[in-house]
Amino acid sequence: MRHRLLRAALPALVLAAAVPALALPVAAATQDAAPTYHQPPSPIAQILDAKPNPSVSVSPDRKTLLLSDRANLPAIAELAEPMLRLAGYRINPKNNGPANSRVSWLTGLSFQAVDGGPARPVTGLPANARLTNVSWAPNGQAVAFLVNAPNGLELWTADVTQAKARKLNGPMVNAAAGSGFSWLSDSSGLLVLAVPAGRGLAPNVDHPPEGPIITETGGRAAPVRTYQDLLSNVGDEALFDYYFTSQPTVVSLNGRARSVGQPGVILGVSTSPDGRYILQTRVKKPYSYVVPASLFPSDVIVTDMNGRQVHRVADLPLRDNVPTPFDAVAPGPRAVQWRADADATLVWAEAQDGGDPRNPAEVRDRVFMLRAPFNDRVQTLADLKERYAGTTWGRNDAAIVNSRWFNTRHETRTLVDPSNPGQGRVLVDRNYQDRYNDPGSVVTEPNARGRSVMRFNADGSKVFVEGNGATREGAYPFLDLMDLNSGGTERVWRSAQGEFETVVGVLDEAGRKLVTYRESRTDPANLRVRDLDGPSGGQVTQLTNFPDPAPQMAGATRQLITYTRDDGVELSGTLYLPAGYDKDRDGPLPLLMWAYPAEFTDAAVAGQVVDTDNRFVRPSGSSHLFLLTQGYAILDNPTMPIIGRDGAEPNDTYIEQLSASAKAAVDAVVALGVADRERIAVGGHSYGAFMTANLLAHTDLFKTGIARSGAYNRTLTPFGFQAEQRNYWEATETYNAMSPFTYANKVNEPILLIHGEADDNSGTFPVQTERFYAALKGNGATARYVVLPLEAHGYRARESVGHALYEMSSWLDRWMKPTATASQE
């Protein structure tokens, strides 16, 4: 049954089919005799076990750094702790928080002054503490966080002055649907979603069913995408009610706790900037078995701080009939939030085309505002020709409303005056895939109430803008000042040649003193303070000295290579070569090409090239780049653009464009003399796995392939996938042609399939790989199928990551190394 707990680690299932006897013992032709986790070859295991560098954040007052020590890869035993899959969520019933597969635990905290000095470790934490959801107080004087305890998640704080942690007396936190808490605007305490007092034991759902599960349509079209982890029976519904019901509670820093209103199934909660109201999204029945909780019937309401309802924003019905195109939305209010720069003003969007982009409409979305006490006339902030994508708030006379339209990959940013709503003025009108002409985004900072607002310069006439600065020669981040009246910009600072330095915080009103993250090809990312008015054009103070997390990889080389597809589209990829490799001495190497296709509407944008020579690159997790240590060359991210031309959908020529891109990449590395045409493999994860299977089915370019956590039969995702907006019945031929399952009888190269047993990604159910493997086996292909127990779409456990890399390395050695090739001849 779907509601049952996943408790024990299953044996790692490793299957193989039709592998020649010389390559693999006959006893393993169907299943390995003694499944066990294997370690990857040296030095991969040593790199995986190295302590990760801390993560860093800057306090709202820009005076303090918070350094958070990160746990290493968790043991499989952590993933084997109980887990429930309910209404699109995965939770740990032991602590009423997210499942361990979705938590990156922290192990310690330190404070460090931006002005310099050593980091001060936070004391008072429990031994072997596991922390999560660290959040700065609006005044920058403390942080709050959750500590995992035997009976739930405890709320703790640590103050900057003393660097000491303490537990706040109060209820256990319910973090099943989110962080579980947020700071009050005046930093005096926190609004907590608490586990209701005395809620009792979880309902016993392990009993025989009382009858069949019946659903019925009523002639109303209700297309839905392929969602995971849905409710499936009344037992699931009971568990969902139990674990997602919470009690809003105000917990002060002196430890007093006060319940606010009534408990309920609350998926979202936030206080108004002035601290007088609470915006809540409360889910109600009937629940659905076909969509996640975010689309269940719900009330969006405003209460006062005593829990009394003062306004209902929306009474939303079940939204299981949203059209499948990606620009489609549900009718009614959505994206309801508080205006960040006002006391208590609600802002939301509503579709004016019924939510269906196929309906003609001059105005697609209308953005509304309503001020407290919520009995005035609703104001229109902006009418949009595209879908609302959020607002960057500034002050009473300046805000930027963002909108996007997926079908054309277009975005618009419009400057509006909230005090006098009207037409507004367009600041940005562009293809959002165009990296070369990206003007950057307005810098935001927490205001005194902890709400994110635009960062203005000293006289308030301009705002700071930061961007990635992508060019053909590389990405060079920048900081600009933009005049909101004219739209003109002036450059304040740009990363130096050969370095990649990003702005973390602007410390002064003129933008002359910055906190930055700086890295280069040979130097790992570290924090520094850059004074642009210092001697010799600038003074730099180093704040951190994080080491190279994988010095074993330091000798590997990389270079950007460019080449052209047969239709004239310019392509590129990053070529990595092992440490010590000399082409003249060593000759061509076995090479792995690891890629991920992308769809474009503009061929010029698709062909943009950005070098990475100024970036510090080290592998982590289950990265394919680890295979550099085993003597393989790697062509990383060779571009595989799928371009829609002359009104045609990109995927209508997916196979042709994919094959042409792969051929161009193979020709390029062979022409360089670093790869042997007979020893090139292709691989990818997720949509890259889908790509891999298609290339093996439709070309003879590759010796073998590695496909991880992919989808291979598009009839199992009939209402759209990836960037395909049409459903199966609108584009049957395209769905069938793009499915490598359809052409399993054409796969005549060996393929390694890996999949997480608990994949949580929409569309990549493990059954995709299971049935593709069965099709390959039935058609006499050479395939190996590895199931990683308890793993989701990405692999997290140390044992799983190590074993995946072991499988990849062993598979390539078998089919790509000269000794293996010779043994097959």
Side-chain angles (χ1 to χ4, degrees), residues 654 686-695 710-712 714 721 738-740:
Y654 174 87
S686 192
Y687 207 53
F690 174 74
M691 169 207 73
T692 296
N694 266 311
L695 287 173
Y712 309 102
R714 286 307 172 192
F721 61 89
M738 289 182 68
S739 296

Side-chain angles (χ1 to χ4, degrees), residues 12 15 47 88 91 123 125 177 232 338 347 352 380 545 572 605 609 634 678 698 801:
L15 303 174
I47 298 173
I91 69 165
T123 62
L125 292 169
S232 63
W338 294 111
V347 182
Q352 303 300 298
T380 297
N545 289 284
S572 65
V605 171
V609 175
I634 295 176
E678 301 303 317
H698 295 286
V801 170

Side-chain angles (χ1 to χ4, degrees), residues 751-763:
I751 182 171
L752 172 63
L753 302 168
I754 303 176
H755 213 122
E757 174 261 345
D759 195 319
D760 58 348
N761 182 56
S762 176

Side-chain angles (χ1 to χ4, degrees), residues 431-652:
N431 182 325
Y432 60 73
Q433 291 181 311
D434 183 357
R435 294 182 292 173
Y436 287 176
N437 296 298
D438 187 349
S441 301
V442 173
V443 174
T444 60
E445 64 175 358
N447 61 14
R449 293 167 164 175
R451 308 306 166 102
S452 182
V453 296
M454 298 181 199
R455 181 70 193 273
F456 288 88
N457 67 343
D459 63 13
S461 62
K462 300 174 182 178
V463 294
F464 289 99
V465 175
E466 60 182 344
N468 197 47
T471 69
R472 185 182 181 89
E473 293 72 31
Y476 290 94
F478 62 83
L479 182 70
D480 285 353
L481 274 172
M482 180 175 67
D483 188 317
L484 289 178
N485 293 319
S486 68
T489 61
E490 59 183 271
R491 181 64 35 97
V492 176
W493 169 85
R494 181 176 185 261
S495 182
Q497 191 72 24
E499 300 180 356
F500 185 85
E501 192 169 0
T502 58
V503 175
V504 176
V506 180
L507 297 180
D508 67 328
E509 302 305 320
R512 306 304 298 171
K513 195 172 183 180
L514 315 173
V515 178
T516 66
Y517 247 131
R518 183 262 184 194
E519 65 182 76
S520 71
R521 184 186 185 99
T522 57
D523 301 320
N526 271 286
L527 281 166
R528 48 169 53 180
V529 172
R530 178 176 286 280
D531 185 346
L532 301 180
D533 292 328
S536 302
Q539 181 176 341
V540 171
T541 302
Q542 195 80 11
L543 293 178
T544 61
N545 289 284
F546 301 142
D548 184 342
Q552 301 92 329
M553 306 289 296
T557 63
R558 73 175 185 268
Q559 68 177 100
L560 179 75
I561 64 170
T562 59
Y563 45 96
T564 305
R565 203 165 73 179
D566 287 344
D567 60 359
V569 175
E570 188 173 10
L571 307 176
S572 65
T574 302
L575 178 64
Y576 288 84
L577 298 171
Y581 170 71
D582 184 287
K583 181 176 66 175
D584 296 331
R585 180 192 65 208
D586 302 324
L589 292 171
L591 180 140
L592 172 64
M593 183 185 303
W594 195 269
Y596 192 97
E599 297 78 7
F600 294 86
T601 58
D602 186 332
V605 171
Q608 289 182 346
V609 175
V610 179
D611 200 352
T612 60
D613 190 60
N614 61 333
R615 303 299 306 272
F616 183 80
V617 178
R618 291 293 184 269
S620 61
S622 55
S623 171
H624 53 285
L625 293 181
F626 278 116
L627 295 170
L628 281 166
T629 66
Q630 306 306 304
Y632 292 95
I634 295 176
L635 183 60
D636 187 38
N637 194 29
T639 48
M640 301 279 178
I642 312 299
I643 306 165
R645 290 191 176 97
D646 302 324
E649 291 293 328
N651 282 340
D652 288 343

Side-chain angles (χ1 to χ4, degrees), residues 280-297:
Q280 305 183 38
T281 299
R282 289 180 171 244
V283 168
K284 57 187 179 181
K285 292 184 175 181
Y287 299 152
S288 170
Y289 295 175
V290 296
V291 294
S294 59
L295 296 174
F296 286 1

